Amino acid sequence: MSGPLPPEWGTPVLPILSPRAFWRRGQRGLRRMTKRQRDIFRAVRFEGASYVELAQRHGISVEVVQAELAKALSTLTRAVYGHWWQRWWPW
């Protein structure tokens, strides 16, 4: 499905967080990740490492690196903003 969402779907509700709350929730998300997820997340985001480089560094395939990064991003997003249904249906 491409294009804007139908109006009857509404819009997601993102909580307005203070910088301190955002930082705390982000730290909680990092703690919830496995060590490998945390290492891959930090390497991609802060070091600019490639998937191939990380696969060699950890002795895993590129597909596993991609899956671990996806899990790390999901964990971090969930820790900061909650589950997806809580953003769409806050009641």
Side-chain angles (χ1 to χ4, degrees):
M1 178 177 180
S2 62
L5 296 173
E8 64 270 11
W9 285 16
T11 56
V13 178
L14 294 176
I16 298 174
L17 300 172
S18 69
R20 182 177 180 181
F22 185 82
W23 177 262
R24 279 195 328 256
R25 290 182 184 194
Q27 291 297 314
R28 183 185 317 144
L30 288 171
R31 283 193 309 269
R32 288 180 179 174
M33 293 179 198
T34 65
K35 180 169 179 7
R36 185 163 71 179
Q37 288 172 355
R38 214 173 15 254
D39 292 343
I40 289 172
F41 174 77
R42 286 182 175 153
V44 168
R45 292 295 181 189
F46 303 120
E47 298 171 17
S50 69
Y51 292 165
V52 174
E53 179 186 338
L54 290 171
Q56 292 171 350
R57 188 186 305 177
H58 291 281
I60 55 179
S61 69
V62 173
E63 290 79 18
V64 173
V65 171
Q66 291 173 337
E68 290 290 327
L69 181 60
K71 290 176 191 172
L73 290 172
S74 176
T75 301
L76 188 62
T77 302
R78 217 175 309 119
V80 173
Y81 294 116
H83 294 281
W84 67 268
W85 63 83
Q86 293 168 332
R87 293 189 299 273
W88 282 90
W89 298 287
W91 54 87

